[in-house]
Amino acid sequence: VVGLKHGSEERREELWIGQDAPLGDSLYVKLGTNDEVVATARGIMTVIPEKLEALRDKAVLHGDISKTSRIEIKRANSGFIQLARAGNDWFVQQPIVARADGNRIRQMLETLYSMRAVDFVWDATVETADVVRATEAVVSPAMKAESYDLVPDQAVVGVTVWMNGEDIGRELFFGKEAGEKSDKIYARCKDIDSIYTVARSIVDVVGVGINDIRDRSLFFLPSDRINLVTVQKGDRKLVLARKKSEGWTILEPVQWKADDRFVNSLIDDISLLRVESFPEGTNNAAVDFRVPECILGFSDKLPETAVADTNLPAKAQEKLDDGSKEIVMKQGRLLIGPPREGKNTVFARFEEEPYALEIPRLVLDFFGRDPVDPLMYRDRTMLAIDPAAVKRVSMVRNGVEQAIERNDAGKWTAMAPGTNQVDVRVVDDVLFAVADMRAMRTECQNPDNLIQYGLDRSGTTLTFGLTGEKGIQ
């Protein structure tokens, strides 16, 4: 029966389908308003469903990833997880407050919203002549759900999702397997009161633990936004600050120009580190941070505006309730434990956070033997001279001076002794070396004497004159 509507006029058309015709792949049909019987191709039967289920929507849970604002997950005999979104980021709200892995959350939502029913097992109310279904329809939905472990206290996994602006979430339960060694599991949406079977593999994606969905990035502040670095070891402390116009500066324990390349490289290396694991239970409690190997802090605030941040984000739901779409993620100082024998990882913990992290020991290797030694961070640029600006080069060795000068035409001439010939290739190599000469490391500051380094006046002295014999050099 087909209902037709043309303007305000409605009418019904009936097509009667009879038995197979004796000739050809055809069968008999007739219109309800016409007595004429005709034979037509059997292909018409392919579009007429044999069962109601063929017409039903097989999507179990409808939703839009971009509009999903909150998720709750409850696993049988396990903990409760609450997630909330602020802007484009996801955060764990319970049982801890931490940043969530956005890619893992998107994968979970994609799995839920693309999930399809394999079988339609039972419905609370079905208008059908099917005797079996009509009999089962009188059974209490709650009782029927219990028999498949599809109620909150029995479900293998329960998931609730909220869309933007929704006060009540949509609950989805996954129950027992649909037979022994089956690849299907029973599922039910609470507000629909229908029972389905779905692929069992879905539970592996949504039935996650808290550490499966935590963001494993160690630091969340992008390296290009870090303007303050603090490193503490025992009672000693090092502070580095960056201003756009001046680059990095050592503020404590001395005030020096810092080496921009080294500090930026160090920050980039540390920012890329990821958490190897999240110790749980007794392993977590056994980690002792009373005497850390060192304490590391990153901030985008300069000292005059820096505050004692913690690593705890404000609760996403509280921010969303007042209309905000952004959570300010603050990270406090990272307490790093000592190296572990035979291990490539060390334990670490952010201040004011109760749980420990296991991170690569590279974080200690990056700093070297003494992470608070200011000499390690001092500017390593020894000379930065424009070769074109050099007018005179003088070398004194064992009390004997050799000197060359360059005229306005750019030609080098030997001045002391004047009988020498100038090897232009050697001069070019020297000028190239001093155009950006950097130290491998700073050995010491204000040594008692230079003789132990061979850097007293008895050694070799190389002098570059920039404006002639008596000018800047």
Side-chain angles (χ1 to χ4, degrees), residues 64 78 106 178 192 200 276 380 382 396 413 444 470:
D64 185 335
S78 186
R106 280 189 290 274
I192 297 179
R200 193 188 187 287
E276 295 287 337
R380 300 182 187 182
M382 299 176 62
V396 178
T413 304
C444 69
K470 297 181 181 180

Side-chain angles (χ1 to χ4, degrees), residues 119-317:
D119 306 301
F120 294 91
V121 179
W122 181 84
D123 298 285
T125 54
V126 176
E127 293 182 6
T128 175
D130 187 329
V131 176
V132 175
R133 284 186 174 275
T135 302
E136 289 197 352
V138 300
V139 179
S140 165
M143 292 176 57
K144 197 66 179 178
E146 286 181 6
S147 65
Y148 292 99
D149 291 347
L150 293 174
V151 291
D153 294 337
Q154 298 176 357
V156 175
V157 179
V159 180
T160 308
V161 296
W162 283 261
M163 294 293 170
N164 293 335
E166 289 183 344
D167 295 327
I168 301 176
R170 283 167 289 174
E171 296 182 71
L172 177 66
F173 300 106
F174 296 93
K176 63 175 64 173
E177 292 185 5
E180 293 186 12
K181 298 181 180 180
S182 173
D183 60 352
K184 297 183 291 186
I185 193 170
Y186 293 109
R188 163 182 173 249
C189 281
K190 183 178 179 180
D191 56 345
I192 297 179
D193 277 331
S194 292
I195 296 175
Y196 320 88
T197 63
V198 297
R200 193 188 187 287
S201 58
I202 294 172
V203 175
D204 297 330
V205 178
V206 300
V208 295
I210 180 62
N211 291 333
D212 297 325
I213 56 176
R214 289 179 63 177
D215 191 337
R216 290 181 178 264
S217 299
L218 182 59
F219 287 96
F220 307 134
L221 191 64
S223 59
D224 59 352
R225 287 182 52 194
I226 295 173
N227 296 317
L228 183 70
V229 177
T230 60
V231 186
Q232 184 173 338
K233 184 176 178 66
D235 296 332
R236 300 163 61 210
K237 184 178 181 182
L238 177 99
V239 178
L240 299 163
R242 174 170 61 178
K243 293 184 179 180
K244 291 183 179 180
S245 59
E246 302 173 10
W248 284 101
T249 302
I250 303 173
L251 296 184
E252 294 184 37
V254 293
Q255 293 189 2
W256 288 336
K257 177 70 180 76
D259 190 276
D260 293 324
R261 297 188 199 178
F262 175 76
V263 176
N264 285 330
S265 176
L266 178 67
I267 291 174
D268 287 341
D269 290 340
I270 295 176
S271 297
L272 293 175
L273 291 177
R274 295 179 63 80
V275 177
E276 295 287 337
S277 69
F278 301 94
E280 296 182 4
T282 56
N283 292 333
N284 195 349
V287 181
D288 187 358
F289 290 101
R290 286 176 295 182
V291 185
E293 185 72 9
C294 67
I295 303 175
L296 173 64
F298 284 162
S299 175
D300 59 350
K301 305 292 185 182
L302 292 176
E304 56 267 25
T305 57
V307 294
D309 294 340
T310 71
N311 192 44
L312 304 180
K315 280 199 173 184
Q317 192 58 42

